[in-house]
Amino acid sequence: MRNRFFIYLFTLLPVFSSCSDFLEIEPKEIIVLDKYWDQEADVEGIVAGCYSSMQSSAVIERMMVWGEFRSDNITGGKNYENNIQIANIFKENINASNTYAKWGDFYNVINRCNIVQKYAPQVAEKDPAYTQSKLNTTIAEVSALRDLMYFYLIRTFRDVPYTTEPFLDDNQTIELPATPFKDVLEALIEDLEKVQSMAVKRYPLTQTYYQRGRITQDAIHAMLCDLHLWNGDYQAAINYADQIINAKLEEYESKKNQKNAVTANANDLIDGYPLINDNDATGSMYGYAFDQIFGQGNSSESIFELIFMNDDEMLANDAVSSLYGNATTFPGLARPADFIGTDISDESFTVFLSKYDTRFYENMQPISGQSNTYGINKYTTNSTAVDMTKADIKAEYGKLYTEKKNHSNWIVYRLSDIMLMKAEALVELAPEGDNDADKADAEKLLKQAFAIINAINKRSNCSKEAGDKELDWDKYSSKSLMRTLVLEERQRELMFEGKRWYDLVRRSMRDGNTSFLVGQAARKGSDGGTAISSKLSRLDAIFWPYHTDELKVNKNLKQNPAFGSGENSSIVKSE
């Protein structure tokens, strides 16, 4: 296939510069010439371009669409019918011509990272200031970015073309077959475990956005925790989760003397975890954690996020502005599924456990003039306050970002996500034997998982009664019940963050069938309800088809069998 598959060339904005300083990435033909790769600044420029490529709407939109839009979290929003690509996704009427089946922008990042790995060692030979230690840090950083892109691809398409070699010639023709999911997964784990010790552990405090906005050891450990969870190595997933939790505890201890009266409650540990408490010092207003994590961004809980500066002259998060809405288009092309929006008012509690869960009020915002219809509040506003002083719980929402001026960071990994990965791994490790030893081991592991879930749930519980904040162990004491509780808590905690569909896919791959996924996805009603059982009954169908453009230029790609020939067919129904 032509290297269009790998290389998209355009001018990119800087990730970590001042408002007036823009980094212009030279065209590829110039980048690879020896004259360019002379000094450390040249390497940093291309690395910045890797991050800038990830900030593009094309990449973040796919992180959103691939990770959320086929799940039970989301349905069609304002005028979504006018966007046939999005409308077909909600209807599970996906075919190989859907624009969101295009993966070129992810391979663009991959190839940029591969180019850095090829040419950065030459700079180390020329520039004395670019030491071996700095080179190692660069290699770790671009390896992680490349591996993150591949991780998104395999979770979405399953088997994908995989290479660590750069492609540099416009006339170069490459027809790579798809590498099996398991082989790519294991290659990513091997790569990250090799480079993890070379990554930066902590950036100086003067580099405000680097610790959360660039790859660190914590970010690599988060990826390894996630990768091992998908690979079924649950003890390894737990080990990496513990490294992150311990790192966050160390950070907490170093900062705990800096707290003040206004944020005193918010700085307290929650059951031993350094989670940001959601209530303020008065105890009557909630939303502090939401504001820190999603409003201001770059929070103490963050591990890795794509940074968008709070400056209207800088690059904006147009993907969120388009898909989740803005002051002009709210609720955007996507909105919460109706059963989630009415979960509290009709007291069905199929998603949230009680009316006291502040995430219901923070994740979603009522649409003016429409009863029990909601838009997505997370990422579309910079603040939300849940008022406990009223007879009924009320939420006060900050202003929606204006169109083309959304400055919310896109979070890839944060602490509660990793904690819940650990909880999932603990549950899967629990033995299912009937003998006393197995039962004792299972109870120990399940209680550890339960304690994690309880802590995360507690921080968002605004009940004034202390007893109401604790979950009841007796309701979840079996492995099957705890397995479901973990997924339910991940849905509540990580709603609209590009995680839910992947959680359901991982569960399906572990089960060897799609029964659980189908049951969950069918809850969102007419757009994704009646057709889902037949269309998604095959494991093949939970992955995306290869786009027709890729099939035309790469004869070694074989279409996902769930999508027929790939030319016009949507998901082929099971017989």
Side-chain angles (χ1 to χ4, degrees):
M1 81 191 61
R2 293 290 179 186
N3 71 332
R4 169 197 52 76
F5 181 89
F6 291 97
I7 302 170
Y8 283 61
L9 305 173
F10 44 82
T11 301
L12 297 166
L13 296 178
V15 184
F16 310 112
S17 65
S18 67
C19 298
S20 60
D21 179 24
F22 293 92
L23 173 68
E24 184 174 295
I25 302 300
E26 295 188 74
K28 168 194 61 65
E29 291 83 0
I30 298 174
I31 288 175
V32 299
L33 291 178
D34 289 340
K35 72 97 178 172
Y36 187 89
W37 298 88
D38 288 331
Q39 55 187 334
E40 181 181 354
D42 298 334
V43 178
E44 277 290 291
I46 305 304
V47 173
C50 295
Y51 286 99
S52 294
S53 296
M54 290 172 60
Q55 287 180 296
S56 70
S57 292
V59 169
I60 296 181
E61 279 187 4
R62 280 160 179 76
M63 289 179 175
M64 298 167 72
V65 170
W66 293 348
E68 287 287 344
F69 281 33
R70 297 177 72 183
S71 79
D72 48 343
N73 279 350
I74 289 192
T75 191
K78 187 175 183 179
N79 299 324
Y80 81 98
E81 302 94 340
N82 296 336
N83 187 318
I84 190 63
Q85 313 291 343
I86 293 292
N88 281 336
I89 293 169
F90 290 135
K91 297 172 183 176
E92 278 299 336
N93 194 29
I94 300 168
N95 62 34
S97 63
N98 191 295
T99 189
Y100 288 100
K102 291 187 175 183
W103 57 24
D105 293 279
F106 281 70
Y107 277 104
N108 169 42
V109 179
I110 288 168
N111 198 56
R112 287 180 180 273
C113 293
N114 288 341
I115 289 173
V116 173
Q117 287 207 338
K118 178 179 177 65
Y119 286 96
Q122 296 181 17
V123 177
E125 295 174 0
K126 298 176 183 178
D127 184 359
Y130 190 53
T131 63
Q132 183 65 44
S133 176
K134 290 180 178 179
L135 171 62
N136 290 343
T137 297
T138 298
I139 297 301
E141 186 168 20
V142 295
S143 293
L145 293 177
R146 176 187 64 201
D147 295 345
L148 180 62
M149 296 293 95
Y150 273 127
F151 191 28
Y152 272 101
L153 288 169
I154 62 172
R155 285 179 293 176
T156 304
F157 296 95
R158 186 170 53 190
D159 306 337
V160 301
Y162 175 79
T163 183
T164 58
E165 293 296 320
F167 292 89
L168 310 167
D169 185 349
D170 279 337
N171 296 315
Q172 193 170 357
T173 300
I174 35 179
E175 294 189 0
L176 294 175
T179 301
F181 174 96
K182 186 77 168 178
D183 292 348
V184 178
L185 186 65
E186 291 177 350
L188 302 182
I189 291 171
E190 181 181 0
D191 188 37
L192 290 175
E193 290 185 335
K194 181 176 63 178
V195 303
Q196 60 176 311
S197 62
M198 302 191 307
V200 172
K201 183 173 183 179
R202 189 155 303 282
Y203 280 98
L205 293 177
T206 54
Q207 294 175 310
T208 309
Y209 301 105
Y210 279 40
Q211 190 62 30
R212 324 294 184 197
R214 292 188 73 163
I215 291 294
T216 60
Q217 286 186 18
D218 285 351
I220 292 178
H221 292 160
M223 290 176 61
L224 282 166
C225 176
D226 206 352
L227 289 161
H228 279 297
L229 190 64
W230 281 79
N231 202 35
D233 189 344
Y234 301 118
Q235 188 57 58
I238 291 168
N239 293 343
Y240 281 112
D242 283 340
Q243 289 191 55
I244 296 164
I245 293 167
N246 290 336
K248 289 297 185 183
L249 282 168
E250 289 177 9
E251 186 178 337
Y252 167 83
E253 291 295 332
S254 70
K255 292 182 177 179
K256 69 178 181 179
N257 294 326
Q258 301 174 20
K259 65 183 180 180
N260 54 54
V262 176
T263 59
N265 289 356
N267 285 331
D268 291 339
L269 292 174
I270 300 178
D271 292 351
Y273 292 102
L275 297 167
I276 302 170
N277 207 313
D278 205 33
N279 72 306
D280 62 14
T282 68
S284 61
M285 297 293 290
Y286 280 71
Y288 182 81
F290 179 89
D291 292 352
Q292 291 293 303
I293 296 168
F294 303 104
Q296 295 186 31
N298 202 38
S299 75
S300 61
E301 283 192 32
S302 175
I303 298 168
F304 180 59
E305 55 191 63
L306 299 176
I307 305 287
F308 291 87
M309 306 300 290
N310 189 23
D311 185 330
D312 287 348
E313 300 302 317
M314 297 287 284
L315 183 69
N317 193 340
D318 287 340
V320 168
S321 185
S322 171
L323 295 180
Y324 287 176
N326 53 67
T328 303
T329 66
F330 193 76
L333 293 173
R335 64 176 179 83
D338 289 336
F339 79 96
I340 298 176
T342 61
D343 198 47
I344 299 298
S345 61
D346 64 14
E347 298 185 343
S348 58
F349 301 122
T350 58
V351 180
F352 300 93
L353 296 177
S354 77
K355 69 177 182 179
Y356 298 111
D357 194 326
T358 62
R359 293 169 296 191
F360 172 84
Y361 310 96
E362 294 165 351
N363 291 347
M364 300 175 290
Q365 181 177 156
I367 299 174
S368 179
Q370 298 185 37
S371 177
N372 290 327
T373 304
Y374 289 78
I376 296 170
N377 186 61
K378 185 181 284 186
Y379 289 125
T380 62
T381 61
N382 60 9
S383 68
T384 299
V386 181
D387 191 349
M388 287 291 296
T389 63
K390 305 292 193 299
D392 294 322
I393 301 170
K394 299 292 184 182
E396 300 172 2
Y397 300 98
K399 290 183 178 180
L400 292 160
Y401 287 110
T402 56
E403 191 171 10
K404 301 291 185 180
K405 294 182 180 179
N406 184 306
H407 303 301
S408 60
N409 298 342
W410 183 256
I411 299 172
V412 179
Y413 287 113
R414 58 188 180 95
L415 178 59
S416 56
D417 184 7
I418 302 303
M419 289 170 62
L420 289 169
M421 288 185 202
K422 179 182 177 180
E424 183 175 333
L426 286 165
V427 172
E428 295 308 317
L429 275 182
E432 299 183 84
D434 291 330
N435 61 70
D436 291 342
D438 281 347
K439 288 181 179 179
D441 288 344
E443 182 174 349
K444 180 181 178 180
L445 291 167
L446 294 178
K447 282 189 172 180
Q448 289 178 44
F450 177 79
I452 292 171
I453 298 166
N454 191 48
I456 293 171
N457 192 277
K458 184 188 297 185
R459 76 100 162 253
S460 295
N461 189 313
C462 64
S463 173
K464 297 178 180 179
E465 302 297 327
D468 291 341
K469 291 179 177 287
E470 303 287 341
L471 299 180
D472 185 353
W473 157 256
D474 291 335
K475 292 182 178 180
Y476 309 104
S477 56
S478 72
K479 181 170 181 174
S480 61
L481 290 172
M482 192 65 67
R483 181 183 280 143
T484 300
L485 179 63
V486 171
L487 275 179
E488 289 176 344
E489 187 64 20
R490 285 186 62 83
Q491 182 178 25
R492 290 186 285 268
E493 177 69 12
L494 305 170
M495 191 171 284
F496 314 132
E497 295 181 45
K499 304 283 183 176
R500 179 60 174 173
W501 181 254
Y502 291 144
D503 285 350
L504 296 175
V505 169
R506 183 172 64 254
R507 168 72 182 259
S508 295
M509 294 181 74
R510 185 182 297 144
D511 291 347
N513 63 72
T514 65
S515 297
F516 184 84
L517 178 149
V518 167
Q520 298 301 298
R523 296 190 297 173
K524 65 181 178 181
S526 58
D527 276 347
T530 56
I532 281 179
S533 293
S534 59
K535 289 186 174 183
L536 295 182
S537 60
R538 302 170 60 182
L539 274 172
D540 293 332
I542 65 179
F543 298 97
W544 280 65
Y546 301 135
H547 196 271
T548 51
D549 289 351
E550 304 304 337
L551 293 170
K552 290 174 182 177
V553 298
N554 184 358
K555 301 307 179 184
N556 285 322
L557 275 183
K558 307 300 180 186
Q559 183 60 277
N560 181 335
F563 294 88
S565 68
E567 288 295 327
N568 300 303
S569 303
S570 57
I571 296 175
V572 178
K573 297 180 181 180
S574 296
E575 298 299 331

